[in-house]
């Protein structure tokens, strides 16, 4: 049981300040909304978009991606298991960049016809980069003082500095 407790402590530990709640709010809300929209607007943001991008089994992967974005977005918003929730979102954003945005650089994107080169890539990838950086930030620093993770961590006798309010 001590190994499980140690793992749990490392997963939820955070010495980050309260201001991290702003990053969690932004990152979590964007993932939550985009995940929901994959189901509400299947043709343009879900299965249809995955199919246009050339992703195999678009029905399966669009639904899987939507579910992960909803669950991880909600966890990030609450600040619960934030580091764990950030990992699949880092993978999600790397996949989005590699599959849908990098082809813009040479004009071969199935989603962005007529767009090519660095500036079109930079424009279309801006949200992906922001989400990737925000997710990496949360993976590194944790959920911050205003989070369920901090509450759980302070209940295990962590140092006073790690449970700042």
């Amino acid at each position: 049981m001590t190994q499980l407790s140690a793992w749990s402590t490392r997963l939820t530990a955070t010495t980050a300040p309260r201001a991290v709640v702003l990053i969690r709010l932004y990152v979590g809300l964007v993932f939550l909304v985009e995940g929901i929209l994959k189901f509400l607007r299947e043709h343009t943001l879900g299965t249809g978009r995955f199919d246009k991008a050339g992703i195999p089994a678009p029905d399966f992967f669009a639904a899987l991606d939507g579910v992960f974005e909803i669950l991880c977005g909600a966890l990030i918003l609450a600040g619960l298991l934030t580091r764990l929730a950030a990992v699949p979102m880092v993978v999600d954003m790397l996949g989005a960049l590699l599959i849908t945005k990098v082809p813009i650089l040479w004009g071969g994107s199935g989603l962005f016809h007529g767009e090519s080169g660095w500036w079109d890539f930079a424009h279309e990838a801006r949200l992906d980069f922001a989400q990737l950086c925000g997710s990496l930030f949360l993976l590194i620093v944790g959920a911050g003082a205003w989070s369920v993770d901090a509450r759980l961590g302070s209940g295990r006798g962590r140092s006073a500095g790690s449970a700042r309010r």
Side-chain angles (χ1 to χ4, degrees):
M1 189 66 168
T2 51
Q3 282 183 334
L4 181 59
S5 178
W7 180 81
S8 173
T9 299
R10 281 194 305 270
L11 189 62
T12 59
T14 181
T15 57
R18 294 179 293 232
V20 172
V21 72
L22 297 174
I23 302 298
R24 281 196 359 253
L25 180 64
Y26 165 72
V27 170
L29 196 56
V30 169
F31 279 130
L32 180 66
V33 168
E34 289 300 315
I36 292 168
L37 285 172
K38 279 181 177 58
F39 294 102
L40 294 179
R41 297 185 181 160
E42 284 185 48
H43 183 68
T44 56
L45 299 174
T47 302
R49 183 176 178 89
F50 279 56
D51 188 36
K52 239 175 151 179
I55 297 171
D59 292 330
F60 173 76
F61 284 111
L64 181 67
D65 191 44
V67 167
F68 266 95
E69 287 180 350
I70 291 166
L71 291 176
C72 293
L75 287 170
I76 289 169
L77 277 171
L80 175 62
L81 303 174
T82 303
R83 283 189 169 102
L84 184 62
V87 171
M89 296 299 91
V90 166
V91 173
D92 186 42
M93 290 298 92
L94 288 172
L97 283 164
L98 291 172
I99 294 168
T100 67
K101 305 309 185 304
V102 168
I104 295 171
L105 289 171
W106 55 82
S109 173
L111 293 175
F112 304 99
H113 298 289
E115 293 186 31
S116 66
W118 168 253
W119 294 112
D120 288 333
F121 166 77
H123 171 73
E124 294 298 344
R126 67 196 183 283
L127 179 62
D128 302 293
F129 278 127
Q131 289 295 97
L132 176 61
C133 290
S135 297
L136 286 169
F137 177 82
L138 293 171
L139 179 63
I140 293 165
V141 304
W146 284 344
S147 68
V148 175
D149 285 349
R151 295 273 183 213
L152 292 172
S154 65
R156 286 191 286 266
R158 292 180 28 227
S159 68
S162 64
R164 281 181 269 176
R165 307 259 183 299

